[in-house]
C-alpha cells in the first residue's frame, strides 16, 4: 500500500499537467457558463484568486529577468548587433500585423451592408447598457472632436517619478523601463570593472524561486481555467455575438491567421515540425487564453524557448517580455480591424493618407495601450479615429460588449507573435556571435 500512494500522486500530477485536463476544464467551464449563469457568483472568486496568484509571480520574474539578462547582454561584445536585430524584427512584425489586419477587414467588410434591424439592435444595446437614450448617428454629419495627444502622454508616462509608487500601483510599463535602465547601468559597470557582481546572483535566485512557484501553480491550472471560463461565459452570454456577429467573425479569422502564421514562423526558424511547435506551446497558450494576460504565460513560454526551441536563455528572458509589453501585436491588429470597422460603419471612403493614418495610428495606439488590459485598452482607439474625424463614443459600447470574447484571442496573438519574434532574434544574434568570433 505504501508504494502505491506515491504512484497515484505522480499520476495525478501528470494528468493535471496534461492537455486533457485543460480541455476537460475548458469544456466544462463553457457548459456551466451557458447552462447556469448563476455559477458566476461561486466560481468568479476562485478564478480571480488563481489569477492573482499568477500575477503575484509575474512582476518579480519580470524585474529580475530583465535586469539580469540585459546586464549580461550589455557586457557582451555583440550587444550592438543584438539591438539592431531586435528593432528590425519588431518594426517588420508591427508593419505586417497592421497591414494584414487592414486587408482582412477590408475584404470581409464587417461594418458594411448592415440592415435597419441590425442598426436598431445597435441602438437598443446602447440603451440597455447605459440607460440613456443614445443612438448611433450614421446618417448625420459627424462633429469634429478635439485632437488628444496620446503619444505625448505615453512618452511622459514611461518614466516613473517614484519607482516604489510604480511598483505599488502595478504600473508594469514604468517598472519595465526602470528595470531596463538599471540593467544597462549594471551591465556597463560589470564590463568596465571585469569582476563578478553579487547582484547578479541575487536576481538569479529571485528569478529561479518565483519560476518554481509558477510550476507549483500550474498544477491548479485546470481549476483556475474552469472558474475563469465559466465566469466569463456567464457574464457575456450570446447577445453580443448575435448583434456583432460579422465583427466577431472577422476578428476570429484575423487572429486565427496570425496564430497559424506565428507557428509556421517558429517552426521554420527552429527547424521543428508544425505539430511539435503547436504541442510545445499548448500550455502557455491555454494560460494566455484563460487569463487574458500574456504576462502570466511568460515563464512557461520562456521554458519552451530555451528547452524545446533551443534559444539562448538570456535572449529569451529579455526579448519576450519586451515584445509582449511594447510590441502589443494583438492590440495593433485589433485596433486596425476596429478602425476599419468604424470607417465602414459610417461609410467613409479612405484616401491613401487615410490608409496610412489607420496603419500608423493603430501601431502607435497599440504601443500607447501598454500597461492597460482588456476594456481599458479601447480608449487608445481615439489615436486612430480622431485624425479621421470619426467618434469613438457611439461605438465604444459595442466594442465593450464583445471585448470579453475577443480579449483572449488578442492575448494569444500577442504571445505567439512575441515568441516568433524572440526565436528569430535569438537565431540572428547567435549567427552574429559566431561570425564575430570567427
Amino acid at each position: 500500500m505504501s508504494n502505491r500512494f506515491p504512484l497515484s500522486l505522480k499520476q495525478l500530477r501528470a494528468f493535471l499537467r496534461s492537455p486533457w485536463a485543460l480541455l476537460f476544464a475548458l469544456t466544462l467551464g463553457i457548459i456551466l457558463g451557458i447552462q447556469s449563469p448563476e455559477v458566476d457568483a461561486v466560481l468568479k472568486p476562485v478564478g480571480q484568486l488563481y489569477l492573482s496568484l499568477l500575477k503575484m509571480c509575474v512582476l518579480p520574474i519580470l524585474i529580475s529577468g530583465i535586469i539580469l539578462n540585459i546586464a549580461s547582454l550589455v557586457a557582451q561584445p555583440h550587444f550592438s548587433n543584438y539591438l539592431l536585430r531586435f528593432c528590425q524584427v519588431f518594426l517588420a512584425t508591427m508593419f505586417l500585423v497592421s497591414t494584414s489586419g487592414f486587408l482582412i477587414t477590408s475584404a470581409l467588410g464587417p461594418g458594411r451592408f448592415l440592415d435597419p434591424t441590425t442598426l436598431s439592435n445597435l441602438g437598443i444595446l446602447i440603451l440597455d447598457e447605459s440607460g440613456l437614450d443614445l443612438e448611433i448617428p450614421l446618417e448625420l454629419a459627424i462633429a469634429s472632436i478635439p485632437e488628444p495627444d496620446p503619444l505625448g502622454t505615453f512618452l511622459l508616462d514611461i518614466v516613473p517619478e517614484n519607482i516604489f509608487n510604480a511598483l505599488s500601483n502595478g504600473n508594469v510599463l514604468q517598472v519595465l523601463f526602470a528595470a531596463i535602465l538599471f540593467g544597462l547601468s549594471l551591465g556597463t559597470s560589470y564590463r568596465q570593472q571585469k569582476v563578478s557582481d553579487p547582484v547578479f546572483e541575487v536576481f538569479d535566485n529571485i528569478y529561479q524561486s518565483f519560476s518554481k512557484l509558477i510550476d507549483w501553480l500550474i498544477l491548479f491550472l485546470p481549476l483556475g481555467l474552469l472558474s475563469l471560463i465559466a465566469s466569463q461565459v456567464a457574464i457575456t452570454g450570446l447577445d453580443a455575438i448575435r448583434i456583432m456577429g460579422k465583427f466577431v467573425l472577422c476578428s476570429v479569422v484575423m487572429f486565427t491567421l496570425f496564430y497559424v502564421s506565428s507557428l509556421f514562423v517558429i517552426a521554420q526558424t527552429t527547424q521543428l515540425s508544425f505539430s511539435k511547435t503547436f504541442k510545445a506551446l499548448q500550455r502557455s497558450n491555454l494560460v494566455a487564453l484563460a487569463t487574458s494576460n500574456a504576462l502570466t504565460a511568460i515563464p512557461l513560454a520562456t521554458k519552451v524557448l530555451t528547452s524545446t526551441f533551443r534559444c539562448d536563455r538570456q535572449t529569451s528572458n529579455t526579448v519576450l517580455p519586451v515584445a509582449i509589453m511594447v510590441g502589443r501585436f494583438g492590440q495593433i491588429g485589433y485596433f486596425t480591424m476596429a478602425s476599419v470597422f468604424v470607417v465602414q460603419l459610417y461609410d467613409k471612403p479612405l484616401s491613401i493618407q487615410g490608409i496610412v493614418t489607420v496603419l500608423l495610428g493603430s501601431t502607435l495606439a497599440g504601443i500607447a495601450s501598454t500597461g492597460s488590459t482588456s476594456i481599458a485598452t479601447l480608449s487608445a482607439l481615439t489615436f486612430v479615429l480622431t485624425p479621421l474625424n470619426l467618434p469613438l463614443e457611439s461605438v465604444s459600447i459595442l466594442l465593450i460588449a464583445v471585448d470579453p470574447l475577443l480579449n483572449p484571442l488578442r492575448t494569444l496573438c500577442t504571445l505567439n507573435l512575441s515568441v516568433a519574434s524572440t526565436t528569430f532574434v535569438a537565431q540572428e544574434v547567435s549567427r552574429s556571435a559566431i561570425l564575430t568570433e570567427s
Side-chain angles (χ1 to χ4, degrees):
M1 291 292 290
S2 59
N3 293 332
R4 294 179 59 185
F5 178 75
L7 183 62
S8 300
L9 183 61
K10 187 179 297 184
Q11 290 176 339
L12 177 61
R13 292 178 60 182
F15 173 73
L16 291 175
R17 292 179 179 271
S18 69
W20 297 109
L22 299 177
L23 181 62
F24 174 77
L26 179 66
T27 305
L28 182 60
I30 294 175
I31 294 174
L32 286 176
I34 295 175
Q35 298 295 331
S36 304
E38 66 275 5
V39 78
D40 173 60
V42 179
L43 293 181
K44 187 175 182 179
V46 178
Q48 291 298 323
L49 175 62
Y50 185 78
L51 183 59
S52 298
L53 288 171
L54 285 177
K55 288 182 177 180
M56 176 188 71
C57 302
V58 169
L59 203 56
I61 289 177
L62 182 67
I63 296 174
S64 58
I66 287 291
I67 292 176
L68 181 64
N69 293 287
I70 282 188
S72 300
L73 285 171
V74 172
Q76 294 185 3
H78 58 275
F79 171 68
S80 58
N81 293 334
Y82 174 87
L83 183 62
L84 178 62
R85 298 297 183 187
F86 184 84
C87 294
Q88 289 175 340
V89 172
F90 259 46
L91 293 176
T93 306
M94 289 177 178
F95 174 77
L96 290 174
V97 167
S98 59
T99 304
S100 300
F102 181 88
L103 294 176
I104 293 171
T105 313
S106 299
L108 297 180
R112 296 197 198 105
F113 312 118
L114 296 178
D115 55 75
T117 302
T118 303
L119 297 179
S120 175
N121 287 337
L122 297 181
I124 290 172
L125 177 60
I126 294 178
L127 176 63
D128 291 343
E129 293 290 337
S130 62
L132 301 175
D133 188 14
L134 299 176
E135 295 180 356
I136 300 179
L138 297 178
E139 305 297 332
L140 301 179
I142 302 170
S144 177
I145 300 176
E147 184 173 351
D149 185 18
L151 182 60
T153 303
F154 166 72
L155 294 175
L156 290 175
D157 286 344
I158 288 179
V159 183
E161 295 181 358
N162 188 324
I163 183 60
F164 298 104
N165 188 41
L167 284 167
S168 61
N169 292 332
N171 193 322
V172 182
L173 180 61
Q174 292 185 349
V175 173
L176 178 65
F177 180 77
I180 290 174
L181 289 184
F182 184 75
L184 289 172
S185 62
L186 183 63
T188 303
S189 175
Y190 173 79
R191 186 168 55 185
Q192 292 174 349
Q193 297 176 3
K194 302 292 183 182
V195 293
S196 178
D197 196 323
V199 176
F200 280 84
E201 297 182 8
V202 172
F203 284 112
D204 185 62
N205 289 332
I206 293 175
Y207 183 87
Q208 297 297 337
S209 299
F210 278 93
S211 295
K212 175 60 69 175
L213 184 56
I214 286 285
D215 286 339
W216 294 342
L217 290 175
I218 293 302
L219 291 174
F220 300 94
L221 178 58
L223 176 61
L225 179 64
L226 185 151
S227 303
L228 290 166
I229 293 297
S231 176
Q232 180 172 301
V233 173
I235 294 173
T236 305
L238 302 177
D239 290 338
I241 295 181
R242 294 192 187 101
I243 296 173
M244 296 282 286
K246 291 182 68 177
F247 181 79
V248 172
L249 178 61
C250 181
S251 303
V252 172
V253 170
M254 183 184 70
F255 287 129
T256 301
L257 178 62
F258 288 161
Y259 172 69
V260 175
S261 299
S262 64
L263 292 182
F264 270 114
V265 171
I266 296 170
Q268 289 295 320
T269 305
T270 59
Q271 298 182 344
L272 297 174
S273 65
F274 182 86
S275 60
K276 188 171 184 178
T277 302
F278 172 78
K279 292 178 181 179
L281 291 170
Q282 263 187 343
R283 191 173 296 168
S284 59
N285 287 341
L286 286 171
V287 170
L289 284 172
T291 63
S292 295
N293 189 339
L295 292 176
T296 59
I298 285 179
L300 291 174
T302 303
K303 187 175 181 179
V304 173
L305 280 166
T306 55
S307 60
T308 306
F309 299 155
R310 300 182 299 275
C311 295
D312 180 67
R313 178 186 170 188
Q314 64 183 20
T315 303
S316 302
N317 287 336
T318 302
V319 175
L320 184 60
V322 175
I324 290 174
M325 284 301 303
V326 181
R328 303 284 280 178
F329 303 119
Q331 289 292 1
I332 292 173
Y334 180 74
F335 285 149
T336 305
M337 182 192 66
S339 300
V340 176
F341 171 73
V342 176
V343 169
Q344 293 173 351
L345 198 64
Y346 285 96
D347 196 20
K348 183 183 178 77
L350 277 180
S351 62
I352 297 298
Q353 183 179 2
I355 295 174
V356 174
T357 300
V358 171
L359 297 178
L360 181 60
S362 298
T363 301
L364 295 177
I367 298 174
S369 68
T370 302
S372 301
T373 57
S374 190
I375 294 172
T377 63
L378 297 177
S379 60
L381 263 177
T382 56
F383 199 85
V384 191
L385 298 181
T386 297
L388 297 175
N389 199 25
L390 291 172
L392 173 63
E393 290 79 7
S394 54
V395 294
S396 59
I397 300 297
L398 306 177
L399 298 175
I400 290 174
V402 298
D403 192 76
L405 293 173
L406 300 181
N407 189 35
L409 299 180
R410 289 201 306 265
T411 304
L412 182 66
C413 175
T414 296
L415 175 65
N416 282 275
L417 286 174
S418 298
V419 172
S421 300
T422 303
T423 58
F424 195 85
V425 171
Q427 184 188 62
E428 291 298 312
V429 171
S430 299
R431 186 179 302 168
S432 299
I434 293 173
L435 292 175
T436 301
E437 292 175 358
S438 61

